[in-house]
Amino acid sequence: MAADREHEPDTAGTAAAPGRRGVTAVVREVCEQGRSVELLQRSMAFAALFFVTLVPLLIVIAAASPTHGSGISQWITDGLGLTGRGAEATRGLFTSRGQVLSTTTGFGIAALAVFGISLMASVQTVYERIWQLGRSPWHAVWRQALGLAGLTAYILVAAWSGSPWRRSAAQPALRLTATLLGGLLFFWWLQHLLLGSRVPWPRLLPGAVATMAALSGLRYFSRLVLAPLLVSNAVSFGTVGAVLVLQSWLIGVGCTIYGGALAGRAIMRRRSGPPSEVPPP
């Protein structure tokens, strides 16, 4: 009986080997394609445009909010995995001040809109390079404006989800649903929108799932690395130190968004080969 068991094939090992090879192949393709699309440089541009667009916009919204921006600051601190002094330093960036609304001008709002559309144009360019598609026509700028509105709405919904039913058993479930499920639907829709419907919906779903998985991993990385760094920088440099760490976190967000789309593309290539390009409408 022992001899028979020795000659039995290791079915578990042979079944697991193709799975490991598939994951390795996807990771290798993501790394190779990441170099071709200039992942780090694109992520740094994403962080810069996000910082000059959505951070000022969120500060204005926080000033107008009846909760004095506590929801938005709580969403940021949760994303960074911050507690204690680090959370206090970050909340200070979004504390409501009376002069914020009074000094906000139409020119400032217009500038934010221009930078915001540039942010979405940058994301669209990376998505098109990932899927090897041609540039969309110039008059499709409405897609970028709609994508910016959707991103702002998602952030506000995720921030709002921390307020209802506070200190109840239902609150964590609401926050988890709004953040994870809402994020999955948002990034699925955003890819389809910015790619001009040239890639079918099912082919974009793995990229949205990979993006949310990467963002969840970024949260734990931030708690281990960025949170202690923010505390030390806040002690040494005050608000400037918190801004520097926030900017580093935004670079990580850009990497996860683009890296998730790259992973989704690599998964679909292994499943069914490269998609045929559909001309824009």
Side-chain angles (χ1 to χ4, degrees), residues 115-269:
F115 284 121
I117 291 176
S118 299
L119 170 64
M120 286 294 107
S122 177
V123 175
Q124 177 179 328
T125 299
V126 176
Y127 280 164
E128 289 171 343
R129 292 186 64 178
I130 290 173
W131 288 94
Q132 299 177 359
L133 299 174
R135 295 293 301 272
S136 297
W138 66 269
H139 56 76
V141 67
W142 65 270
R143 295 182 182 274
Q144 300 160 10
L146 185 58
L148 177 63
L151 176 59
T152 305
Y154 166 64
I155 292 175
L156 293 179
V157 169
W160 165 84
S161 66
S163 299
W165 307 320
R166 187 170 294 179
R167 297 177 182 175
S168 68
Q171 211 288 318
L174 173 64
R175 193 173 189 85
L176 191 67
T177 300
T179 303
L180 294 183
L181 181 59
L184 175 65
L185 295 176
F186 168 72
F187 285 110
W188 193 14
W189 167 80
L190 183 66
Q191 292 178 87
H192 194 263
L193 173 73
L194 295 182
L195 291 173
S197 306
R198 289 175 287 175
V199 179
W201 283 99
R203 299 184 67 86
L204 298 172
L205 181 57
V209 173
T211 298
M212 292 310 300
L215 285 173
S216 299
L218 176 64
R219 184 179 186 276
Y220 288 104
F221 173 82
S222 300
R223 175 173 293 181
L224 293 175
V225 177
L226 293 183
L229 186 62
L230 189 144
V231 172
S232 61
N233 280 7
V235 172
S236 302
F237 306 107
T239 303
V240 175
V243 169
L244 291 175
V245 176
L246 178 60
Q247 186 75 359
S248 301
W249 177 69
L250 288 175
I251 294 175
V253 171
C255 285
T256 58
I257 291 176
Y258 297 148
L262 282 168
R265 163 73 168 172
I267 292 171
M268 294 310 302
R269 279 175 62 89

